[in-house]
Amino acid sequence: GAGVSQSPRYKVAKRGQDVALRCDPISGHVSLFWYQQALGQGPEFLTYFQNEAQLDKSGLPSDRFFAERPEGSVSTLKIQRTQQEDSAVYLCASSLEGGGGRYEQYFGPGTRLTVT
Amino acid sequence: GENVGLHLPTLSVQEGDNSIINCAYSNSASDYFIWYKQESGKGPQFIIDIRSNMDKRQGQRVTVLLNKTVKHLSLQIAATQPGDSAVYFCAENTGGFKTIFGAGTRLFVKA
C-alpha cells in the first residue's frame, strides 16, 4: 500500500522567497505531524493535526511558518520569506490514531529545503 | 533525510554480532518510548516501542529495555546484518502531542 508521500523531494529557494511543502498522509490516518531535521540531528517537532484541527503548533520556529490541513487529509507547510537557517529536511508523519505522539508514526521521505 | 549521521556517535559491529544502542532521556514524566531507524535519504522507520509500565519488550531480532530509575533506554539488535546499518533514534512522549527525538547513533555493520 502507499505510504506517506511528500513533494517536492528537493527545493532550492532564494532567501526571501516563499515555499510550500506538501504531505500526503496514509489514507484514513487521523494524526499528522511535521518535523524539521537539521543535518546530523534528530527530527524536531513542528506541529500536529488531528484531522483538520491543528492542536499543537508549539514547535513552529517563527510566525513565518504556517501549516494547514483543511480537509483532514493532505497538509501543506508554508514558509514565508525564507532564511538560510530554514535550510533543513522537513519530514511529515501520519498515525492511524488520534492522541498525538502516543502511537506508531509513519514517516514520509522528507523534503530537503536549501535556502541560498 | 540525506546525509543523516554526520557527526553522530558511531557504533561499529561485526556482521552476526549483537548490537546495543543506548539512549538517556531527560523527562521523568515521559511514558512512551520509541526507537526509529533512519537510512540515508529516507524518513525514520518505526522499529519498536515500549510504554512505561513495562521494562522490556521484544520484537523480531530487536529488544527494547527501559530503566526508569536511571532514565535509560536501550535497543538490542540480535545477529546484526549489513541492512541494519543506519542511524538509530530514540524518542519519547510525555502524554501530549509532541514526540521528542534524541540525537541519534550511527550503526555501522562490517561484513
Side-chain angles (χ1 to χ4, degrees):
Chain A
V4 178
S5 61
Q6 292 186 246
S7 60
R9 288 296 314 277
Y10 304 92
K11 177 69 179 177
V12 179
K14 291 190 172 158
R15 189 159 55 100
Q17 283 185 332
D18 297 349
V19 297
L21 313 180
R22 178 187 169 107
C23 172
D24 286 79
I26 294 173
S27 178
H29 277 201
V30 170
S31 294
L32 186 143
F33 307 79
W34 282 99
Y35 294 86
Q36 180 189 62
Q37 186 172 27
L39 195 61
Q41 297 184 20
E44 289 198 10
F45 172 89
L46 293 177
T47 188
Y48 167 71
F49 290 86
Q50 183 170 294
N51 296 309
E52 70 279 1
Q54 188 176 21
L55 299 185
D56 189 335
K57 53 182 181 179
S58 63
L60 296 176
S62 76
D63 59 8
R64 296 186 296 104
F65 286 71
F66 172 77
E68 60 183 4
R69 193 187 185 198
E71 297 178 359
S73 55
V74 171
S75 178
T76 304
L77 176 67
K78 298 179 180 178
I79 309 174
Q80 296 177 324
R81 303 180 304 281
T82 52
Q83 304 294 315
Q84 283 192 317
E85 60 264 28
D86 299 335
S87 295
V89 174
Y90 290 86
L91 294 163
C92 175
S94 69
S95 178
L96 180 61
E97 304 285 347
R102 303 190 58 70
Y103 301 94
E104 179 178 349
Q105 295 177 44
Y106 297 82
F107 281 80
T111 294
R112 181 163 190 83
L113 173 65
T114 303
V115 182
T116 61
Chain B
E2 292 183 13
N3 296 323
V4 172
L6 294 180
H7 313 301
L8 291 176
T10 298
L11 173 65
S12 185
V13 301
Q14 197 69 38
E15 180 180 1
D17 287 352
N18 297 334
S19 302
I20 300 177
I21 301 172
N22 296 301
C23 175
Y25 64 94
S26 56
N27 193 335
S28 56
S30 293
D31 61 358
Y32 176 58
F33 304 88
I34 319 100
W35 280 99
Y36 285 94
K37 171 187 179 183
Q38 188 173 27
E39 297 171 287
S40 189
K42 297 183 179 179
Q45 177 187 3
F46 174 92
I47 301 172
I48 191 168
D49 60 2
I50 188 168
R51 300 197 185 269
S52 59
N53 60 349
M54 301 175 70
D55 297 323
K56 178 179 179 179
R57 189 157 188 240
Q58 289 185 289
Q60 187 177 12
R61 280 203 307 120
V62 295
T63 300
V64 56
L65 298 177
L66 175 62
N67 186 329
K68 295 182 288 292
T69 302
V70 295
K71 292 188 285 188
H72 184 267
L73 194 66
S74 69
L75 176 70
Q76 300 178 1
I77 304 173
T80 314
Q81 302 168 1
D84 295 327
S85 293
V87 176
Y88 289 80
F89 294 100
C90 65
E92 61 188 291
N93 179 275
T94 59
F97 302 118
K98 183 182 301 190
T99 297
I100 307 297
F101 281 76
T105 297
R106 182 170 183 265
L107 175 65
F108 179 69
V109 182
K110 295 176 285 188

